Amino acid sequence: MTELDALVTAAAQRFAQAHTPADLENAKAVYLGKTGEITQQMKALATLAPDEKKSRGALINTAKQAIEAALNDRRQALADAALNAQLAAQALDVTLPGRQRGAGSLHPVALAWERIESIFGSMGFEVADGPEVENDWFNFTALNNPPNHPARSMQDTFYVDLNDTQGQPYCLRTHTSPMQIRHATAHAKRYAAEVAAGGTMPEVRVIAPGRTYRVDSDATHSPMFHQVEGLWLGDNVSFKDLKVTFLNFCRAFFEADDLRMRFRPSYFPFTEPSAEIDIQFQSGPLKGRWLEVAGSGQVHPTVVRNMGLDPERTIGFAFGCGIDRLAMLRYGVSDLRLFFDNDLRFLSQFPATGS
Ligand code: PHE
C-alpha cells in the first residue's frame, strides 16, 4: 500500500468516527484544510522535477478525490441519521383515534325532570319555581301545619339561624308543597279580579319541580333530594281528575300502558282526605311489586284559604312526587347515592339529550 493509499484509508476511518457534523468538519481539516495532509503534499510538489511532478500530482489528486468522496459519503450518512432520529422522535400514528372533546351527558335526575315537565306540559300544567331556603310560614304553617303540630316531626330539616322581616325562621324546604301557596297567592289577585268581573274562578294547574331537604341519609334517602309538586284547583276538580292525571303521567313517564295505580289512605295536614300513591308494573324486573311514588290528597280548606281563595268555591288536589325515585325506577338504579357521588363511570351511561 502506498503512502497515499494509507492516507485515504486513515481519512476514511477518521470520518467514520465523526458522529456529528462538527466532528466531521474537524476531521476534514486534518486532510483537506490549509495545513492539512493533502495540502502539504501539494505544496511538496514544487520541489520535484517537472515529469515527476506530473505523475505525482495525478496520484495526489486521485487520493484527494477519494478523500472527498469518503467525506461526502459520511456527510450524507450523518444527515440521513439525523433525519431518521427526527422522524422517530416525531412519530405520528395516523391510525390512532382523534382526541375528542367529551360531549357530556345529562344527569339521570335532570333527564327525569325534563320528562316530567314535558309530560305535565302536554296535560296543560304550567311550571313554577321557588326558593329552596323557605320560611316557616310557607313550608309549614300555611300548609295547616302550625308550630308544635305533631306532623312537623315527619319532616325534620335544617334551620338557618336567621329570621325574615316578619320574624319567620328560615329553613331548607322539606318539600315542594310551599309552592302551592306561593303560586296561588302570586296569582290570587288575578283570580279574584276575574271572579269579581263575573267570570268563573280560573283553574290553577301547575307543577313545581325542585330540590328539597330533610335530615335523612341512607341507600334510599339523601339529605338533598328532588320533588315535583302538582296542584290543580278549580270549581269542580275531583279525586277522579287526580287519578286520571297521575295515572296518565306514570304511564307516559314509564312508557308502560298497562301500569296500575292505587291510592292508600294516609295523612298530611294540608290535604283531606290524603292518600299515598303506589304504582305496579305488569312486566320487567319490578313486575307485580307495589311501589310508593307520591303523596297526594284533596287540598285542605284551610290551605285554600291561606292561598287567598274561597274554599266554598275552589276545590282540587295536590300531589308531591319524588323525582329521584322516578329516575331510579326508570333507569333501574338501586342506590340513590349513585346520583350524588358524581362518578363518571355511572353518569356517562346516560344520554346527552332528553329521553
Ligand atoms: N309534601 C308531601 C311530602 O313531601 C307530599 C304531598 C304533596 C302530599 C301534596 C299531599 C299533597 O311528603
Side-chain angles (χ1 to χ4, degrees):
M1 195 197 282
T2 68
E3 159 224 3
L4 282 173
D5 288 339
L7 197 60
V8 172
T9 310
Q13 277 171 1
R14 186 111 186 221
F15 294 159
Q17 282 158 11
H19 291 291
T20 66
D23 282 351
L24 190 58
E25 292 316 305
N26 288 337
K28 170 193 164 188
V30 173
Y31 300 95
L32 303 173
K34 266 188 202 152
T35 56
E37 303 262 8
I38 292 291
T39 320
Q40 302 283 349
Q41 298 272 353
M42 293 289 205
K43 281 182 186 157
L45 281 181
T47 60
L48 298 180
D51 53 340
E52 229 182 318
K53 205 187 255 180
K54 199 173 173 198
S55 60
R56 177 75 183 161
L59 287 175
I60 297 173
N61 238 340
T62 309
K64 186 183 178 196
Q65 281 165 5
I67 291 175
E68 279 171 350
L71 176 70
N72 283 334
D73 284 353
R74 186 62 187 153
R75 272 200 187 124
Q76 191 58 48
L78 286 183
D80 287 351
L83 183 63
N84 284 337
Q86 192 189 7
L87 288 176
Q90 297 173 350
L92 174 68
D93 182 351
V94 292
T95 65
L96 280 177
R99 258 179 241 136
Q100 291 164 346
R101 206 187 288 176
S105 58
L106 283 180
H107 192 279
V109 172
L111 287 169
W113 185 321
E114 275 189 2
R115 240 178 124 65
I116 291 166
E117 287 191 2
S118 88
I119 296 168
F120 277 110
S122 75
M123 295 194 275
F125 283 75
E126 54 180 313
V127 179
D129 189 22
E132 291 168 30
V133 180
E134 189 50 283
N135 72 30
D136 198 80
W137 164 258
F138 285 112
N139 195 77
F140 295 115
T141 309
L143 291 165
N144 198 29
N145 196 352
N148 304 320
H149 192 291
R152 284 206 177 198
S153 63
M154 289 160 73
Q155 300 185 354
D156 192 10
T157 184
F158 304 89
Y159 285 85
V160 180
D161 201 8
L162 197 73
N163 289 351
D164 73 3
T165 47
Q166 266 96 54
Q168 290 280 331
Y170 282 115
C171 63
L172 299 188
R173 67 177 179 188
T174 58
H175 49 181
T176 43
S177 298
M179 284 306 295
Q180 293 183 33
I181 310 283
R182 283 188 176 275
H183 182 80
T185 50
H187 297 284
K189 279 205 185 107
R190 176 165 67 83
Y191 304 147
E194 290 197 30
V195 173
T200 51
M201 162 69 202
E203 280 196 349
V204 178
R205 212 188 293 188
V206 65
I207 59 163
R211 272 182 277 277
T212 47
Y213 303 83
R214 284 186 210 175
V215 184
D216 240 349
S217 186
D218 61 36
T220 53
H221 295 91
S222 149
M224 187 283 296
F225 58 106
H226 301 83
Q227 277 194 339
V228 56
E229 193 77 9
L231 177 68
W232 186 352
L233 296 174
D235 55 11
N236 191 22
V237 180
S238 73
F239 244 84
K240 177 200 72 189
D241 299 302
L242 167 59
K243 185 167 182 184
V244 171
T245 303
F246 206 82
L247 182 62
N248 283 341
F249 161 72
C250 288
R251 287 182 170 172
F253 184 87
F254 291 110
E255 296 169 278
D257 286 343
D258 55 356
L259 179 142
R260 292 174 65 189
M261 188 183 111
R262 75 177 179 194
F263 287 126
R264 211 161 13 89
S266 185
Y267 172 78
F268 300 101
F270 35 92
T271 45
E272 180 60 35
S274 305
E276 305 284 352
I277 301 179
D278 299 341
I279 58 169
Q280 187 194 53
F281 294 100
Q282 305 308 308
S283 58
L286 295 167
K287 177 181 174 186
R289 273 174 57 191
W290 284 106
L291 309 157
E292 182 183 317
V293 289
S296 68
Q298 181 175 303
V299 181
H300 194 286
T302 302
V303 175
V304 175
R305 210 171 288 117
N306 288 337
M307 291 171 176
L309 299 169
D310 177 1
E312 297 297 325
R313 303 194 51 160
T314 302
I315 192 165
F317 65 80
F319 61 81
C321 177
I323 298 180
D324 314 283
R325 181 118 180 89
L326 293 187
M328 285 173 80
L329 292 172
R330 178 163 164 84
Y331 300 113
V333 175
S334 54
D335 192 327
L336 175 68
R337 290 169 291 202
L338 284 168
F339 286 159
F340 309 119
D341 282 348
N342 281 336
D343 187 331
L344 286 179
R345 288 169 302 177
F346 172 72
L347 295 176
S348 60
Q349 297 176 53
F350 296 91
T353 51
S355 67

